[in-house]
Amino acid sequence: MNIRFLAQSEYFNGLHLKDDIVLEKEYEQGPFTNLPKVRYFLYYLEENIRKEVMPYTDKVDIFNITDCQSESDYLYFIEYVDMLDRTYTFNIIRYNITDHTHTKIISLKDNLKLYPDNKQIKIFILDDSNLIIQRALPKVSENGKLKEFFDFSLILFNFVKNKQIIIEDENLTRNGIEFILPYSDNNCIMKTGYSLFQNNRHANLTKEEAAVESLFVVNISQFISDLQLEQPNLVMNAIDQSYYDTTVINAKLIENFLIYSKFNYENNDENIIFYDIETKEIYTCINKTTTGEYLLKNATVIEDTPYMIMKNSTGTQFFNLISNEIDATYPVEYNVRFVNNNTVISTIVEKNIFGKETEVVCIHKFPIKKVILQEKGEYIGCVTSDKETSYIFLK
């Protein structure tokens, strides 16, 4: 267990990229009324150094870019260039976060006024030479109350050979790719079909209008090869599927577990599902709810065991989904904030002799309740570089 406490002045809003490197974004007003400019910063936690990425270029989050490579050396972003004729060129830049070199991999021209309300583009970087461009245009529901990005078209683009293939697969073109989560060097989790939980979609779409939602474990190399054959129906075995009366709300990966949340409209409950990608074993936890607030943030994995974290009047309980028993309960005064494998991070409030309150961050080794390390300071957030190392940000 390695713990590093890092002081931040006001807030921390970072995304862990690789090792001890965290990405932070800052937004500011640019030349566009509909989209802000964005600046990228790489925070090297071990050195406690923050560096801006290519500060002399103008950047905008006009496209949603996903790097499908696990533990990638690259950061992808969009640089824009004013062509001085009321048009802009958008360059997708691949930036190496370790040696700080960069390459322009593709340039796109588009009508900026369409974004973000009348056009959406998602770009999935599959490997060192292939990416998918998914364009989505809005469609209006039959009842006329809902306008969403449901009209999809996809292209496989080889940016090394400058060659593109129109994707014909019926599932992808009808339902679209909602997200891809990198899992290992050549595998990822892909979800097709949009969730009905957002924007009251279930109430405003008929069953015929709704998408079939599917979760797949995808071998990226095989996926690219299959797309290159331009088949109308790719053969992919789904982990799980949902349609209309059930919908996937969200998903995340912890170690070898895909953890996702499914809401059932008929039963008005939510299932938290742990799928072991390696063994294909499934563990579930049902939450009866009337609010639809998903519990994915309370799902975790400790030493290859799936747990649900539950808070009640007695404290914070860790419910083991394999044994169906509570393995540990932390007293109510400890507010559990973060779990990294067997490291539990909590906060308590202490008062001095004058009654002044001070927040203290406490470290426990699961399932032991005893505090083995503590530090005064207001907890802001935590990121991990591996199962053993946690970086805790204090105000």
Side-chain angles (χ1 to χ4, degrees):
M1 180 193 317
N2 300 313
I3 303 295
R4 287 285 307 275
F5 291 100
L6 300 169
Q8 288 282 93
S9 57
E10 291 297 331
Y11 70 96
F12 171 75
N13 185 24
L15 173 68
H16 179 244
L17 296 179
K18 180 183 180 181
D19 299 330
D20 70 326
I21 306 173
V22 168
L23 171 68
E24 293 183 307
K25 292 183 181 182
E26 291 183 2
Y27 293 91
E28 60 188 40
Q29 185 60 49
F32 318 123
T33 58
N34 50 341
L35 291 167
K37 285 179 63 175
V38 60
R39 298 167 67 189
Y40 290 81
F41 297 87
L42 294 177
Y43 190 177
Y44 297 86
L45 301 180
E46 284 296 329
E47 302 171 76
N48 203 14
I49 294 175
R50 189 172 184 256
K51 296 180 181 179
E52 185 170 0
V53 175
M54 296 175 61
Y56 303 110
T57 62
D58 295 316
K59 308 172 189 70
V60 63
D61 280 347
I62 190 171
F63 311 137
N64 185 313
I65 301 178
T66 299
D67 187 353
C68 302
Q69 300 292 296
S70 178
E71 293 292 303
S72 173
D73 288 328
Y74 299 106
L75 168 66
Y76 294 86
F77 56 84
I78 297 98
E79 168 196 71
Y80 68 87
V81 180
D82 189 344
M83 303 308 292
L84 305 178
D85 60 354
R86 298 184 179 179
T87 65
Y88 290 87
T89 296
F90 300 98
N91 302 317
I92 298 177
I93 304 298
R94 179 169 65 185
Y95 181 88
N96 192 303
I97 61 177
T98 54
D99 66 19
H100 308 291
T101 57
H102 70 277
T103 306
K104 179 177 71 176
I105 62 174
I106 186 175
S107 294
L108 300 172
K109 290 185 179 181
D110 210 338
N111 182 355
L112 186 70
K113 294 180 180 179
L114 294 173
Y115 299 89
D117 297 327
N118 291 298
K119 193 172 185 180
Q120 181 189 81
I121 287 184
K122 291 183 179 180
I123 295 175
F124 301 97
I125 312 293
L126 299 180
D127 63 9
D128 290 337
S129 57
N130 291 281
L131 57 81
I132 288 176
I133 302 174
Q134 175 176 282
R135 293 179 174 89
L137 300 177
K139 289 177 67 176
V140 179
S141 61
E142 287 184 8
N143 66 10
K145 295 181 179 180
L146 188 67
K147 183 181 177 183
E148 294 271 7
F149 293 101
F150 293 157
D151 187 3
F152 302 101
S153 61
L154 300 93
I155 292 172
L156 176 68
F157 182 71
N158 186 309
F159 51 86
V160 174
K161 298 180 181 179
N162 195 28
K163 179 182 177 181
Q164 69 178 36
I165 295 172
I166 296 175
I167 295 175
E168 303 286 355
D169 177 67
E170 185 177 346
N171 176 37
L172 298 181
T173 55
R174 170 168 167 71
N175 301 312
I177 300 173
E178 185 166 19
F179 61 73
I180 294 180
L181 303 174
Y183 167 60
S184 62
D185 290 342
N186 198 38
N187 292 287
C188 61
I189 302 297
M190 181 170 68
K191 180 179 183 284
T192 60
Y194 44 84
S195 175
L196 295 186
F197 196 79
Q198 299 176 18
N199 303 331
N200 203 25
R201 290 172 180 170
H202 184 264
N204 288 302
L205 292 176
T206 66
K207 194 169 186 177
E208 290 71 26
E209 289 179 284
V212 176
E213 301 174 56
S214 304
L215 285 163
F216 305 95
V217 176
V218 175
N219 180 285
I220 296 175
S221 298
Q222 185 63 50
F223 183 53
I224 294 170
S225 298
D226 291 343
L227 291 175
Q228 289 170 340
L229 296 177
E230 303 181 52
Q231 298 176 4
N233 292 289
L234 298 179
V235 178
M236 294 191 294
N237 296 319
I239 299 170
D240 198 353
Q241 287 191 320
S242 302
Y243 181 54
Y244 196 62
D245 289 328
T246 60
T247 189
V248 175
I249 301 176
N250 212 336
K252 65 181 180 181
L253 285 167
I254 300 182
E255 298 176 20
N256 56 303
F257 282 93
L258 169 65
I259 309 172
Y260 58 100
S261 170
K262 287 178 67 175
F263 189 82
N264 185 301
Y265 288 93
E266 290 186 341
N267 300 332
N268 196 30
D269 61 22
E270 179 184 15
N271 275 13
I272 306 299
I273 300 168
F274 291 73
Y275 175 81
D276 190 320
I277 299 171
E278 295 179 357
T279 67
K280 300 183 180 180
E281 292 178 284
I282 296 174
Y283 307 94
T284 62
C285 178
I286 299 176
N287 172 49
K288 288 289 184 181
T289 178
T290 56
T291 63
E293 295 180 1
Y294 60 85
L295 301 177
L296 201 63
K297 64 180 181 180
N298 295 329
T300 192
V301 177
I302 300 176
E303 295 184 332
D304 299 319
T305 300
Y307 283 90
M308 288 300 301
I309 303 173
M310 304 181 297
K311 294 187 178 182
N312 56 33
S313 59
T314 65
T316 302
Q317 299 176 330
F318 284 74
F319 181 74
N320 184 322
L321 291 180
I322 296 178
S323 66
N324 289 320
E325 295 180 354
I326 294 171
D327 285 354
T329 300
Y330 289 83
V332 69
E333 60 266 26
Y334 292 103
N335 183 11
V336 174
R337 300 295 196 97
F338 194 85
V339 178
N340 177 24
N341 198 32
N342 65 356
T343 302
V344 176
I345 300 167
S346 71
T347 57
I348 59 172
V349 176
E350 293 183 346
K351 289 185 179 181
N352 61 20
I353 57 174
F354 302 105
K356 183 179 179 181
E357 294 185 345
T358 302
E359 187 171 280
V360 178
V361 179
C362 304
I363 309 300
H364 319 259
K365 187 173 181 179
F366 183 86
I368 300 170
K369 304 175 187 65
K370 180 182 176 181
V371 176
I372 60 175
L373 179 66
Q374 66 180 36
E375 183 78 14
K376 289 184 178 181
E378 183 179 339
Y379 176 88
I380 299 174
C382 181
V383 296
T384 63
S385 61
D386 51 47
K387 292 170 64 174
E388 301 298 328
T389 305
S390 298
Y391 298 90
I392 302 171
F393 298 87
L394 303 178
K395 190 172 181 179

